[in-house]
């Protein structure tokens, strides 16, 4: 769009790098992006609002959204199948109205970075991120009020992991400074291969690692000084899990930190689904208050339950090891104060309990 050389009329339409803009009484709208426009595009510093479907079927691979953009409605980036990278420019001061479905069906996005003061409720943030099935990285500018990121994973501004990208694909060790894993934070992340929980972690939320089918080993570091609560179904339905290890203490005393294992924490939905866990090891000095109801239920291939004589387990709750059909023997430490009913129900191969 070119500007006329004559007259005093207010300019209504203009263009920026081939993108059509419209001025409506001082508010600038981004109207249309040509579908064949490719590569990276940084939205004009004049734009206030993006119209619905302005980027309809765009071929852009990267978009940068500056501070001046304050409204991105539903379907603004509709079916942008080439879009891989979204960046909200750093230093944002203006509040942005970002619809949960602004990036509807942008299925190839692998990276999204937010400015420090992005003003989104956690439920809205999750709704947006859940639309990116191939997402590998979430970044947040430093010194944000509500959010941060560590290793491409979304956290709050303090000490809690909130959301792991859906396509996160490697062994995961909880970083130093993080002591809480929120409910469902890693649920369904099938490309995670191993999980290590260091001693500084104090809480693992309900379903935090539910259905991480790629995980083969789960390790809890020894020498624990802080209490740890493992929430209900926190590690449930791990179809390829082989070992769960509570590492031994290097001291000759019981760990100060007490572990509480919640209901169904390591269980499967059915014996047919959850068949690969073979070994559970509870090492020297490990201090467990409760192995919760159905905690290891339906681990049909569990044949080795190794509990060190110096470990402490207060309560083995109802149905804790139900349907562990390959379990042949169990040595119960003297510290166990109660074994509830059906704790070892349907353990058909169990011949010896010491």
């Amino acid at each position: 769009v070119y500007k006329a050389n004559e007259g005093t009329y207010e300019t209504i339409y203009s263009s920026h790098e081939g993108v059509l803009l419209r001025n409506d009484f001082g508010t600038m709208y981004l109207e249309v992006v040509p579908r064949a426009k490719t590569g990276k595009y940084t939205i004009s510093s004049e734009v206030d609002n993006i119209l619905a479907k302005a980027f309809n079927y765009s071929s852009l691979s990267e978009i940068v959204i500056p501070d001046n953009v304050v409204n991105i409605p539903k379907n603004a980036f509709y079916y942008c199948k080439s879009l891989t990278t979204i960046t909200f420019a750093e230093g944002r001061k203006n509040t942005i109205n970002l619809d949960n479905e602004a990036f509807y069906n942008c299925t190839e996005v692998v990276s999204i970075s937010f400015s420090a003061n992005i003003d989104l409720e956690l439920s809205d943030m999750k709704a947006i991120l859940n639309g990116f099935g191939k997402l590998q990285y979430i970044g947040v500018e430093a010194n944000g009020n509500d959010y941060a990121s560590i290793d491409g994973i979304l956290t709050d501004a303090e000490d809690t992991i909130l959301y792991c990208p859906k396509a996160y694909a490697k062994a995961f060790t909880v970083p130093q400074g993080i002591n809480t894993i929120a409910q469902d934070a890693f649920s369904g992340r099938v490309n995670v291969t191993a999980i290590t929980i260091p001693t500084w972690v104090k809480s693992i939320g309900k379903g935090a690692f539910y259905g991480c089918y790629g995980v083969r080993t789960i390790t809890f570091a020894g020498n624990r000084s802080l209490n740890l609560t493992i929430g209900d179904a926190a590690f449930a339905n791990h179809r390829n899990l082989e070992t769960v290890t509570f590492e031994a203490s290097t001291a000759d005393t019981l760990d100060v930190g007490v572990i509480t294992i919640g209901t169904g924490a390591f269980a499967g939905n059915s014996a047919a689904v959850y068949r690969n866990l073979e070994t559970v090891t509870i090492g020297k000095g490990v201090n467990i208050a409760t192995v919760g109801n159905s905690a290891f239920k339906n681990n049909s291939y569990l044949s080795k339950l190794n509990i060190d004589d110096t470990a402490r387990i207060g309560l083995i709750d109802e149905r804790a090891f139900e349907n562990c059909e390959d379990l042949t023997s169990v040595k119960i430490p003297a510290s166990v104060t109660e074994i509830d009913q059906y704790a070892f129900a349907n353990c058909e191969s169990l011949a010896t309990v010491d």
Side-chain angles (χ1 to χ4, degrees):
V1 177
Y2 66 90
K3 293 184 178 180
N5 293 323
E6 297 180 3
T8 59
Y9 301 105
E10 181 180 14
T11 300
I12 297 177
Y13 286 102
S14 59
S15 64
H16 174 258
E17 297 183 13
V19 173
L20 184 64
L21 311 180
R22 177 174 57 87
N23 182 6
D24 188 357
F25 296 100
T27 298
M28 187 68 76
Y29 292 87
L30 192 155
E31 292 261 331
V32 178
V33 176
R35 291 188 183 183
K37 184 176 177 62
T38 60
K40 177 180 178 180
Y41 177 61
T42 299
I43 295 173
S44 168
S45 59
E46 296 181 349
V47 170
D48 303 298
N49 296 320
I50 299 173
L51 292 185
K53 297 190 177 181
F55 288 82
N56 190 16
Y57 293 99
S58 167
S59 299
L60 292 168
S61 59
E62 183 174 355
I63 185 74
V64 178
I65 302 167
D67 176 58
N68 45 282
V69 177
V70 295
N71 185 55
I72 305 179
K74 180 179 179 178
N75 294 334
F77 293 85
Y78 184 79
Y79 273 77
C80 296
K81 295 290 189 175
S82 298
L83 187 62
T84 61
T85 305
I86 301 167
T87 302
F88 290 83
E90 295 186 355
R92 172 169 285 275
K93 297 178 181 178
N94 296 319
T95 299
I96 187 170
N97 178 23
L98 177 61
D99 190 271
N100 291 350
E101 297 185 26
F103 298 95
Y104 181 77
N105 213 12
C106 296
T107 56
E108 302 301 311
V109 172
V110 298
S111 174
I112 185 167
S113 297
F114 295 99
S115 51
N117 294 324
I118 194 78
D119 188 23
L120 289 173
E121 296 292 333
L122 181 57
S123 58
D124 294 325
M125 176 72 83
K126 286 184 176 180
I128 293 167
L129 297 175
N130 280 336
F132 305 135
K134 295 183 179 180
L135 190 66
Q136 300 174 20
Y137 176 87
I138 302 168
V140 180
E141 182 187 2
N143 301 316
N145 294 331
D146 299 315
Y147 301 110
S149 68
I150 296 178
D151 193 26
I153 295 171
L154 183 70
T155 72
D156 67 7
E158 297 180 357
D159 56 14
T160 300
I161 286 179
L162 301 174
Y163 186 96
C164 176
K166 285 191 171 183
Y168 187 90
K170 55 184 172 181
F172 174 71
T173 299
V174 181
Q176 189 124 26
I178 296 294
N179 63 38
T180 301
I181 313 297
Q183 178 174 334
D184 299 326
F186 286 78
S187 180
R189 298 333 187 241
V190 297
N191 296 313
V192 176
T193 57
I195 299 167
T196 300
I197 308 297
T199 57
W200 51 77
V201 178
K202 297 190 290 186
S203 177
I204 301 172
K206 180 178 180 180
F209 294 91
Y210 182 90
C212 296
Y213 298 154
V215 170
R216 295 191 175 275
T217 63
I218 300 172
T219 304
F220 296 84
N223 299 306
R224 174 165 286 278
S225 60
L226 301 172
N227 293 345
L228 169 64
T229 300
I230 302 173
D232 296 349
F235 298 93
N237 200 17
H238 283 197
R239 297 182 181 180
N240 294 297
L241 182 60
E242 297 173 357
T243 63
V244 173
T245 303
F246 295 85
E247 288 184 337
S249 171
T250 56
D252 293 327
T253 56
L254 198 65
D255 283 348
V256 174
V258 179
I259 299 170
T260 301
I261 301 174
T263 299
F266 298 91
N269 290 328
S270 69
V273 170
Y274 200 28
R275 297 187 64 86
N276 288 331
L277 178 59
E278 297 180 356
T279 304
V280 174
T281 299
I282 300 173
K284 168 188 167 187
V286 174
N287 191 350
I288 297 177
T290 304
V291 178
N293 188 315
S294 304
F296 290 91
K297 182 177 179 179
N298 292 335
N299 288 290
S300 299
Y301 283 7
L302 179 59
S303 60
K304 299 174 184 177
L305 178 56
N306 304 320
I307 306 175
D308 190 89
D309 290 340
T310 65
R312 171 185 174 268
I313 300 177
L315 166 66
I316 300 177
D317 208 347
E318 183 175 349
R319 304 186 187 278
F321 293 91
E322 183 178 18
N323 295 334
C324 295
E325 298 170 3
D326 281 3
L327 194 60
T328 58
S329 65
V330 178
K331 188 174 182 179
I332 305 295
S335 61
V336 174
T337 57
E338 183 179 354
I339 301 176
D340 217 328
Q341 62 180 347
Y342 309 117
F344 294 91
N346 297 325
C347 294
E348 298 174 355
S349 301
L350 187 58
T352 305
V353 179
D354 295 329

